[in-house]
């Protein structure tokens, strides 16, 4: 994208949000990032991601504001002042398992928060109809819920959510579709499939497993490691988002200007191989705890990415081996700095 945009990013201190901001700033765009900096996981990690972005604050093309999505007044004032041409809404209460412990935070951040973003788009659209070109927002592969047909395709039904997290993400897609239809907001939903890489999330398997491997503790693999998952490297995800920004969906007769895309790898890996590669990248042999297959785990999940490929010519480029070595190169010093 050669045109310089004013881009509003929510969840800017998060894993994908911070990586996206780095790329957008390097590409010369002007970025406003917001985040509540909540303590769902180590806030030091979020603060450290923001430090990485701070050199751009000095060059004045990055501004950060600590705002919670549920604070519609602060959100409106700050974002309307910034006058974004593109929005990338990534802030959310993430994590499938945590939605059993703290369902309220999913309703607040993912439903009320998403609604506030849509209302913000509506008010910008109504006052300055040509300003906001595209809203891109995070959905999740978890919307496929209990579907068993693989690869998961955007044409599949997504009415079988298995967690409140998945239900909020599927709701976000429906809410956005209605706003796109009613108020002409061009929007694209991004169904991410397990994203990994440097500066990742401590509640996800690369960091959880890496910590256990470094401590010499056993890594539990369900179905004795014979489960298949789709891992996507964070820089590939960022590339897909950047390519989608100018690919604004158009309104066609009955269809609102709203599309959803799988952002995955289309190349499932057996968990056994994944942990083996992770151990290799960390330079330490993993100790395995080969467990039975619990009913919560699906045997094989992966993305059909042909829709995104056809739209913007994107295919992930990073092999799991290369991606895990990039992850380990960041994780080992980070782990040592945290554990003395
Ligand atoms: N990482 C993945 O593999 C993955 C997979 C599927 C979907 N997603 C979705 O992608 C998006 C980004 O995920 P991530 O991995 O970067 O997660 P993350 O938790 O690292 O980032 C989300 C950020 O949003 C912020 N946030 C949460 N609630 C907020 C609120 N109410 N107001 C303002 N900020 C708030 C958090 O502080 C966090 O920094 C999320 O919507 C997530 O659900 C991620």
């Amino acid at each position: 994208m050669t045109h310089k945009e004013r881009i509003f990013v929510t969840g800017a201190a998060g894993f994908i949000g911070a990586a996206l901001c780095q790329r957008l700033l390097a590409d010369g765009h002007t970025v406003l990032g917001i985040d509540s900096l909540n303590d769902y996981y180590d806030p030091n990690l979020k603060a450290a991601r923001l430090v990485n972005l701070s050199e751009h604050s000095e060059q004045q093309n990055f501004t950060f504001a600590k705002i919670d999505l549920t604070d519609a007044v602060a959100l409106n004032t700050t974002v309307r002042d910034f006058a974004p041409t593109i929005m990338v809404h990534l802030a959310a209460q993430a994590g499938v398992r945590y939605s059993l412990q703290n369902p309220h935070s999913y309703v607040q951040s993912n439903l009320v928060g998403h609604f506030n973003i849509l209302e913000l788009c509506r008010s910008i659209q109504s006052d300055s109809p040509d300003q906001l070109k595209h809203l891109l927002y995070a959905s999740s592969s978890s919307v496929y819920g209990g579907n068993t047909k693989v690869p998961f395709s955007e044409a599949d039904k997504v009415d079988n959510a298995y967690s409140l997290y998945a239900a909020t993400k599927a709701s976000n897609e429906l809410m956005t579709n209605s706003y796109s239809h009613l108020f002409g907001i061009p929007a694209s939903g991004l169904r991410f499939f397990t994203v990994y890489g440097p500066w990742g999330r401590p509640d996800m398997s690369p960091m959880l497993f890496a910590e256990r491997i470094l401590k010499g503790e056993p890594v539990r693999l369900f179905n004795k490691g014979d489960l298949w998952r789709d891992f996507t490297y964070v820089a590939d995800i960022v590339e897909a988002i950047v390519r989608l920004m100018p690919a604004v969906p158009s309104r066609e007769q009955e269809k609102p200007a709203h599309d959803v895309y799988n952002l995955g790898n289309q190349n499932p890996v057996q968990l056994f191989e994944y942990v083996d590669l992770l151990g290799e990248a960390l330079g330490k042999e993993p100790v395995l705890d080969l467990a039975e297959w619990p009913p919560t785990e699906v045997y094989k999940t992966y993305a059909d990415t042909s829709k995104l490929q056809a739209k913007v010519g994107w295919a992930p480029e990073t092999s799991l081996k290369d991606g895990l070595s990039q992850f380990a190169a960041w994780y080992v010093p980070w782990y040592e700095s945290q554990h003395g």
Side-chain angles (χ1 to χ4, degrees):
M1 191 164 47
T2 48
H3 194 74
K4 300 299 175 226
E5 303 284 355
R6 298 179 61 76
I7 306 173
F8 170 52
V9 178
T10 74
F15 170 36
I16 302 173
L20 176 68
C21 288
Q22 283 286 5
R23 167 71 188 270
L24 297 176
L25 293 165
D27 288 352
H29 300 291
T30 301
V31 176
L32 165 67
I34 67 136
D35 200 294
S36 63
L37 303 175
N38 69 30
D39 62 0
Y40 164 61
Y41 64 76
D42 186 3
N44 288 329
L45 180 53
K46 296 181 183 181
R49 294 185 187 123
L50 287 179
V51 168
N52 292 341
L53 294 168
S54 59
E55 64 178 280
H56 297 280
S57 319
E58 285 154 25
Q59 292 158 16
Q60 295 184 334
N61 60 340
F62 180 63
T63 313
F64 176 77
K66 182 175 184 285
I67 294 178
D68 196 297
L69 291 172
T70 56
D71 185 349
V73 174
L75 196 60
N76 275 285
T77 315
T78 309
V79 180
R80 296 297 303 261
D81 274 0
F82 177 69
T85 54
I86 290 179
M87 281 196 199
V88 188
H89 172 40
L90 301 172
Q93 177 58 59
V96 172
R97 292 197 185 117
Y98 186 64
S99 60
L100 292 167
Q101 283 169 49
N102 191 354
H104 292 95
S105 68
Y106 290 78
V107 171
Q108 289 307 313
S109 294
N110 301 7
L111 296 180
V112 177
H114 193 78
F115 166 73
N116 286 342
I117 291 291
L118 291 174
E119 275 292 303
L120 175 62
C121 292
R122 175 187 176 179
S123 74
I124 293 175
Q125 192 82 335
S126 128
D127 293 352
S128 331
D130 297 324
Q131 181 191 308
L132 185 64
K133 299 178 206 164
H134 199 178
L135 164 68
L136 300 101
Y137 66 95
S139 181
S140 166
S141 63
S142 64
V143 299
Y144 292 108
N147 291 7
T148 49
K149 178 189 112 347
V150 284
F152 293 151
S153 156
E154 295 90 342
D156 299 340
K157 272 189 149 190
V158 289
D159 58 358
N160 191 18
Y162 267 20
S163 65
L164 182 66
Y165 170 68
T168 63
K169 290 293 182 180
S171 308
N172 290 168
E173 294 183 0
L174 289 171
M175 292 159 80
T176 309
N177 201 72
S178 73
Y179 267 61
S180 187
H181 171 69
L182 292 169
F183 310 115
I185 297 161
S188 297
L190 316 170
R191 292 180 180 168
F192 298 126
F193 284 66
T194 312
V195 186
Y196 75 99
W199 299 97
R201 260 181 36 212
D203 62 330
M204 294 183 67
S205 73
M207 275 178 81
L208 290 171
F209 286 4
E211 180 166 3
R212 297 190 78 83
I213 293 171
L214 291 181
K215 286 182 174 163
E217 292 172 359
V219 174
R220 172 165 290 187
L221 292 184
F222 291 123
N223 204 32
K224 303 194 164 71
D226 181 24
L227 292 179
W228 296 72
R229 293 292 178 269
D230 207 15
F231 297 92
T232 325
Y233 189 61
V234 65
D236 288 335
I237 288 288
V238 165
E239 176 65 28
I241 300 174
V242 166
R243 287 194 195 195
L244 272 171
M245 284 177 180
V248 181
S250 50
R251 187 171 198 136
E252 287 155 23
Q253 294 184 337
E254 297 306 303
K255 184 191 158 301
H258 175 229
D259 263 319
V260 293
Y261 298 95
N262 287 340
L263 275 71
N265 202 355
Q266 199 157 303
N267 183 19
V269 178
Q270 200 182 28
L271 287 190
F272 205 79
E273 184 193 346
Y274 160 65
V275 173
D276 199 45
L277 287 172
L278 182 59
E280 210 174 280
L282 292 164
K284 196 156 176 194
E285 179 98 6
V287 180
L288 300 181
D289 167 13
L290 299 177
E292 294 306 317
W293 187 1
T296 47
E297 296 292 328
V298 182
Y299 180 64
K300 195 180 220 178
T301 68
Y302 69 107
D304 174 347
T305 57
S306 51
K307 184 174 174 186
L308 187 59
Q309 170 88 42
K311 182 82 177 179
V312 294
W314 175 88
E317 288 186 345
T318 313
S319 70
L320 187 61
K321 187 175 164 58
D322 289 350
L324 286 176
S325 9
Q326 296 289 328
F327 163 75
W330 163 75
Y331 181 71
V332 173
W334 171 261
Y335 172 84
E336 282 165 359
S337 72
Q338 301 302 298
H339 293 81

